[in-house]
């Protein structure tokens, strides 16, 4: 029987931050990507508590699927795999079979933490100049709207590999896929986040007949209150359940995906799909005020730069400055800038370029960067350069966190890149396809759709994995799991994850407060300090006096997190999105 407790209050700080911010977008633009309006009852000032297991995700049905697996004796990996497949049905704008991502797995009995890289790869025919126009300039439409934008999907093999290696053995892969298959076949109501996102994606989805057949009713997307039935997706899930991941990567499903990509102008072949394999990688590790930080290594930039920024911040007494103060926000922003400059210079696919992980994450390097920060004045972006961290040793996403009764845990972030990816469903499969190829650098110095600057280390190459900001993370205290967190949000993923950690450790917030508190973001280029609504006008004025160019925008991210608290599991689902849920057993 569920033992979780639901909070009865609301977070006044959070409600002040988010009032009137109904600004969702079908695809990201440099700056902020908005979210749905927040209902008062969705914001909590206390986390959800449970004694035995906890799932926190962006969609309530998927959360309940995971909790049911825990209730039936599954471990955190079993539950996470079931949630991952379920989100492909219930959160089609980000949950996926046709995208990819990263999973961090902590195995309590073995005291082992591993990173599963199931990031998409470039097709074998990809070239370094494929996203440049006749003048040698980046062609943004080619990298976001055409078949060229589609990377080889990794999600199905990634989830299957997690189950094969780290599942409890009590559930077959078919058992874990069954809830998703049923939801796809029987249909789900168009409500909450789905009802918000479909109208904003109508132009993207409407250009493809195969997508219109699923998401439209006549000339318009399915209205609120309708039922979204995904029969082809259900059949695809059924094939995977019966035949394993090879059913997706070889045979009719693979051929249909490759054909859809080529018909849209892309390069993918069935051989590209057959060749795809996830990678097991060693997590990146650091420390912050006595806590151990364990996060995703390259080809994610998330873990490296999360630790780099925390190392810089460790030299400041943030608690004394006070949460939300101009001094604290200034310090956070100035620590973010050099990390994003380093990201542009050094990060890429570790199988194709040497990434100085050790150098970027040392305390000594952070001390060098900290010494260049003026505590009173903002440094302009042109004054911030990538450092020399030698020697060598690299918006529409969704994150979920799972912890089981034994202390095993999963932190998983996966994506299609833009909301609904390229918008194209591969005919006869129900699979929405990603536009992750935009995460490569079209050429050194060029910006992607999130405004992130890229370098030669992240150039397009055959079967390379594009750089990501996804940051699934564990925090340990005295060797015991303390916090599981991460977030969607494009370029803001790293800073969102950072602020959940800082809010808990430095500002002593409970998990719900840490997730709900207004956030800031600075990514070096463009030279803008972005704040969520809710920061006081006086604080904004003080930041401008310090030289910051401040932009106040809509909320971003969905940092669905779980924390160990007083012998219980505390869960917090981010109320910036409709329909999120943290639930425990």
């Amino acid at each position: 029987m569920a033992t979780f407790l639901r909070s009865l209050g609301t977070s006044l700080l959070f409600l002040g931050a988010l009032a009137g911010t109904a600004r969702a977008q079908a695809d990201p633009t440099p700056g902020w990507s908005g979210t749905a309006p927040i209902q008062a009852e969705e914001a909590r000032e206390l986390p959800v508590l449970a004694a035995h297991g906890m799932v926190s995700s962006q969609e309530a049905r998927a959360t309940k699927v995971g909790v049911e697996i825990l209730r039936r004796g599954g471990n955190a990996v079993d539950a996470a795999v079931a949630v991952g497949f379920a989100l492909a049905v219930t959160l089609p704008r980000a949950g996926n079979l046709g995208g990819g991502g990263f999973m961090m797995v902590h195995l309590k009995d073995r005291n082992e933490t591993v990173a599963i890289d199931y990031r998409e790869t470039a097709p074998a025919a990809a070239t370094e100049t494929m996203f440049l126009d006749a003048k040698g300039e980046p062609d943004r439409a080619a990298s976001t709207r055409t078949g060229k934008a589609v990377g080889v999907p990794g999600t199905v093999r990634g989830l299957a590999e997690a189950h094969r290696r780290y599942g409890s053995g009590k559930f077959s892969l078919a058992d874990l896929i069954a809830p998703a298959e049923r939801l796809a076949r029987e249909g789900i109501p168009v409500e909450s986040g789905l009802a918000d996102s479909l109208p904003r994606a109508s132009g993207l989805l409407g250009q493809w007949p195969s997508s219109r057949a699923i998401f439209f009713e006549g000339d318009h997307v399915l209205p609120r209150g309708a039922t979204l039935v995904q029969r082809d997706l259900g059949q695809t899930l059924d094939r995977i359940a019966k035949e394993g991941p090879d059913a997706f990567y070889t045979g009719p499903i693979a051929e249909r995906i490759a054909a859809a990509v080529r018909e849209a102008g892309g390069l993918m072949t069935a051989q590209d799909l057959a060749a795809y394999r996830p990678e097991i990688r060693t997590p990146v590790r650091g420390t912050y005020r006595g806590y151990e930080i364990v996060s995703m290594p390259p080809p994610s930039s998330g873990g490296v730069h999360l630790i780099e920024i925390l190392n810089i911040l460790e030299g400041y007494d943030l608690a004394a400055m006070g949460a939300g103060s101009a001094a604290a926000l200034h310090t956070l922003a100035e620590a973010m800038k050099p990390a994003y400059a380093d990201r542009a210079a050094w990060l890429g696919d570790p199988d194709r370029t040497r990434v100085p992980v050790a150098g970027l994450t040392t305390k000594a390097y952070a001390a060098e960067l900290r010494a260049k920060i003026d505590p009173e004045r903002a440094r302009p972006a042109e004054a911030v350069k990538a450092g020399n961290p030698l020697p060598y040793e690299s918006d529409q996403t969704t994150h979920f966190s799972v912890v089981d009764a034994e202390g095993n845990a999963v932190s998983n972030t996966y994506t299609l890149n833009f909301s609904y990816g390229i918008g194209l469903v591969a005919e006869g499969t129900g699979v929405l396809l990603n536009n992750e190829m935009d995460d490569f650098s079209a050429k050194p110095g060029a910006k992607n759709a999130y405004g992130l600057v890229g370098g030669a280390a992240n150039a397009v190459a055959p079967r390379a994995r594009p750089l990501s900001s996804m940051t699934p993370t564990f925090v340990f205290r005295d060797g015991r799991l303390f916090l599981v967190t991460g977030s969607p949000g494009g370029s803001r993923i790293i800073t969102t994850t950072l602020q959940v950690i800082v809010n808990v450790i430095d500002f002593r917030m409970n998990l719900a407060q840490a997730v709900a508190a207004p956030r800031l973001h600075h990514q070096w280029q463009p030279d803008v300090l972005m704040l969520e609504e809710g920061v006081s006008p006086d604080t904004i004025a003080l930041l401008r006096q310090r030289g910051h160019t401040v932009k106040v925008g809509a909320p971003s991210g969905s940092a669905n997190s779980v924390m160990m608290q007083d012998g219980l599991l505390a869960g917090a689902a981010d109320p910036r999105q409709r329909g999120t849920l943290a639930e425990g057993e």
Side-chain angles (χ1 to χ4, degrees):
M1 181 175 181
T3 58
F4 64 89
L5 305 175
R6 294 192 179 278
S7 143
L8 300 177
T10 59
S11 169
L12 297 178
L13 173 66
F14 182 67
L15 291 176
L18 300 185
T21 55
R23 288 193 279 265
Q25 296 174 323
D27 55 75
T29 55
W32 294 93
S33 63
T35 57
I38 303 300
Q39 303 302 306
E41 65 270 22
E42 295 181 35
R44 303 183 181 99
E45 64 181 9
L46 295 176
V48 177
L49 301 179
H52 303 300
M54 178 71 69
V55 179
S56 181
S57 89
Q58 195 171 328
E59 203 285 321
R61 289 176 187 82
T63 289
K64 290 179 180 296
V65 165
V67 171
E68 180 61 23
I69 295 296
L70 294 178
R71 185 175 290 124
R72 292 166 55 195
N75 69 5
V77 175
D78 295 330
V81 170
V83 171
F85 280 111
L87 285 169
V89 178
T90 64
L91 192 75
R93 70 182 185 269
N96 66 84
L97 301 186
F102 301 116
M103 180 184 288
M104 295 283 295
V105 178
H106 176 65
L107 305 168
K108 173 72 180 305
D109 288 347
R110 290 155 58 171
N111 192 28
E112 180 183 0
T113 303
V114 297
I116 304 176
D117 169 6
Y118 60 96
R119 181 72 159 148
E120 303 88 342
T121 58
T127 64
E128 186 171 351
T129 59
M130 65 184 288
F131 295 125
L132 300 181
D133 61 20
K135 297 180 180 179
E137 295 302 318
D139 182 350
R140 184 61 58 219
S143 66
T144 60
R145 301 295 188 187
T146 73
K148 287 184 178 181
V150 184
V152 180
T155 293
V156 173
R157 279 215 189 277
L159 295 180
E161 187 71 1
H163 169 260
R164 185 182 74 82
R165 286 176 176 262
Y166 309 117
S168 67
K170 298 178 181 178
F171 294 86
S172 67
L173 185 63
D175 293 333
L176 303 179
I177 292 173
E181 188 274 332
R182 184 174 60 255
L183 287 165
R185 175 170 38 84
E186 296 178 355
I188 60 173
V190 176
E191 60 187 11
S192 298
L194 180 59
D196 294 331
S197 67
L198 277 175
R200 297 177 176 92
S202 60
L204 184 68
L205 296 167
Q207 64 183 315
W208 310 105
S210 56
S211 302
R212 292 183 66 92
I214 298 169
F215 296 104
F216 275 63
E217 186 177 273
D219 293 332
H220 303 282
V221 293
L222 293 170
R224 189 179 301 272
T227 300
L228 171 61
V229 177
Q230 301 173 79
R231 293 186 183 88
D232 287 344
L233 182 58
Q235 291 175 2
T236 294
L237 289 164
D238 182 60
R239 289 286 297 273
I240 298 168
K242 291 176 178 176
E243 302 172 28
D246 284 349
F248 184 89
Y249 290 93
T250 61
I253 294 173
E255 290 166 3
R256 286 171 178 165
I257 290 172
V261 172
R262 291 198 304 276
E263 288 171 10
L267 307 173
M268 192 184 302
T269 66
Q271 289 72 30
D272 289 321
L273 284 149
Y276 183 86
R277 295 293 184 275
E279 297 286 345
I280 305 299
R281 302 194 186 276
T282 301
V284 60
R285 294 174 180 267
T287 61
Y288 184 66
R289 306 199 196 282
Y291 294 79
E292 184 182 17
I293 313 297
V294 184
S295 192
M296 195 69 204
S300 174
S301 64
V304 170
H305 297 305
L306 172 67
I307 291 170
E308 181 179 354
I309 298 169
L310 287 171
N311 284 344
I312 296 170
L313 293 174
E314 199 169 38
Y316 298 95
D317 188 351
L318 294 177
M321 296 178 189
S325 69
L329 297 181
H330 169 80
T331 303
L332 284 163
E334 293 301 298
M336 293 170 185
K337 292 178 185 178
Y340 278 86
D342 282 340
R343 184 189 189 278
W346 298 111
L347 269 290
D349 183 346
D351 296 333
R352 297 178 181 273
T353 186
R354 294 194 302 166
V355 182
V357 172
L360 288 166
T361 57
T362 62
K363 302 289 187 183
Y365 180 57
E368 293 178 15
L369 299 177
R370 191 185 309 117
K372 298 175 183 178
I373 293 175
D374 185 335
E376 300 299 330
R377 292 291 300 173
R379 278 194 298 168
E382 59 268 19
V384 180
K385 308 295 182 185
N388 183 21
L390 302 179
Y392 281 95
E393 286 237 23
S394 134
D395 209 13
Q396 286 296 327
T397 300
T398 191
H399 176 85
F400 57 88
S401 299
V402 184
V403 180
D404 66 25
E406 305 303 319
N408 305 300
V410 168
S411 181
N412 188 92
T413 312
Y414 70 157
T415 186
L416 291 167
N417 197 26
F418 284 13
S419 183
Y420 295 92
I422 193 178
L424 170 62
V425 172
E427 182 73 43
T429 70
V431 176
L432 275 160
L433 299 175
N434 68 81
N435 57 357
E436 288 293 352
M437 293 290 286
D438 184 62
D439 278 356
F440 284 111
S441 299
K443 70 176 186 178
K447 296 179 180 179
N448 70 3
Y450 294 94
L452 285 169
V453 176
N458 189 36
V460 183
R463 299 205 167 138
R465 297 174 190 241
L467 186 60
S468 171
S469 294
M470 290 184 278
T471 316
T473 298
F474 297 133
V475 179
F476 294 87
R477 180 172 60 186
D478 300 327
R480 295 188 297 273
L481 184 68
F482 173 68
L483 176 65
V484 183
T485 191
S487 180
S491 59
R492 298 169 296 282
I493 292 174
I494 301 170
T495 56
T496 295
T497 306
L498 168 82
Q499 286 167 90
V500 173
I501 294 171
V502 167
N503 287 344
V504 169
I505 294 176
D506 289 287
F507 300 130
R508 303 297 180 185
M509 296 182 187
N510 71 42
L511 187 59
Q513 292 168 333
V515 167
R519 298 173 186 145
L520 75 150
H521 174 73
H522 203 303
Q523 62 184 53
W524 176 55
Q525 296 281 6
D527 192 0
V528 175
L529 173 57
M530 291 178 274
L531 302 175
E532 288 185 336
E533 294 180 1
V535 178
S536 77
D538 289 345
T539 300
I540 293 172
L542 290 171
L543 289 167
R544 287 177 171 145
Q545 288 175 18
R546 291 173 184 249
H548 292 282
T549 300
V550 177
K551 178 181 178 181
V552 179
S556 174
S558 189
N560 305 299
S561 305
V562 177
M563 187 172 73
M564 297 296 294
Q565 178 175 304
D566 300 326
L568 295 175
L569 293 169
D574 199 323
R576 287 167 177 78
Q577 306 283 347
R578 285 188 191 268
T580 61
L581 178 67
E583 183 170 300
E585 167 62 16

